[in-house]
Amino acid sequence: MATTYVVNGPNLNLLGTREPDVYGQATLADVEKLCRATADRFGWAIEFRQSNHEGELVDWIHEAARAGAVGIVLNAGAYTHTSVAIHDAIAAIKLPVIEVHISNVFAREQMRHHSYVAPVAKASLCGFGIAGYALAINGLAAMTGAAAKS
Ligand code: CA2
């Protein structure tokens, strides 16, 4: 079965527990449920991951490529704004990577305006709340020509 990786970076395990004004009330488990339901429309499986460690995120990007995944939906969290290692890992693989942020990073502090992921991502989206993950999976399906199940 075709598989999409959904990879989440640091502190996203705290979703739904703090800062609901910025990130909403949904938990990471809710995000996972949404991703699975969205991917299921295309008959796709989801590998859903979260880590607070940069190197583990790099390993999973490599793993997705080795596994022949359809693509990666990536919310690299704060590493978006700092990580040359994640940039290089994405540049080294051929899979389409869709960058997602729950909040509108451009309406926030200056430090969140730069992304090391964006130049190597196939597409980027932010500010849709957790619906952004579903939009990213739908976008990946459109890009790869996947048909929705009837
Ligand atoms: O908006 C996003 O999805 C971010 O990637 C989230 C990151 C932030 O550093 C990026 O600039 C934008 C932070 C994730 C932290 O998530 C929390 C959730 C609840 C409580 C505390 C942190």
Side-chain angles (χ1 to χ4, degrees):
M1 183 186 271
T3 299
T4 305
Y5 276 61
V6 180
V7 175
N8 294 280
N11 297 309
L12 284 158
N13 54 311
L14 299 177
L15 265 188
T17 66
R18 272 168 248 168
E19 300 192 57
D21 45 320
V22 182
Y23 298 114
Q25 309 266 4
T27 64
L28 197 62
D30 296 326
V31 175
E32 179 171 359
K33 229 183 272 177
L34 173 65
C35 289
R36 289 192 190 285
T38 308
D40 187 55
R41 293 188 51 231
F42 304 102
W44 287 355
I46 289 286
E47 268 306 321
F48 193 90
R49 309 277 176 87
Q50 188 276 329
S51 177
N52 295 323
H53 305 280
E54 187 175 15
E56 194 159 33
L57 298 170
V58 168
D59 285 343
W60 289 341
I61 291 165
H62 297 169
E63 178 189 307
R66 266 199 320 273
V70 173
I72 305 174
V73 173
L74 175 64
N75 184 348
Y79 286 139
T80 304
H81 317 299
T82 63
S83 179
V84 176
I86 290 174
H87 171 106
D88 287 350
I90 297 168
I93 61 166
K94 290 202 167 73
L95 299 186
V97 172
I98 314 297
E99 175 185 16
V100 171
H101 299 287
I102 295 167
S103 64
N104 179 356
V105 288
F106 299 106
R108 301 181 64 192
E109 309 95 305
Q110 187 77 36
M111 67 184 179
R112 298 184 204 275
H113 295 186
H114 178 263
S115 168
Y116 282 95
V117 172
V120 284
K122 194 84 181 157
S124 301
L125 53 109
C126 70
F128 288 101
I130 70 161
Y133 287 82
L135 293 170
I137 293 168
N138 278 298
L140 203 50
M143 268 174 197
T144 59
K149 290 193 293 189
S150 49

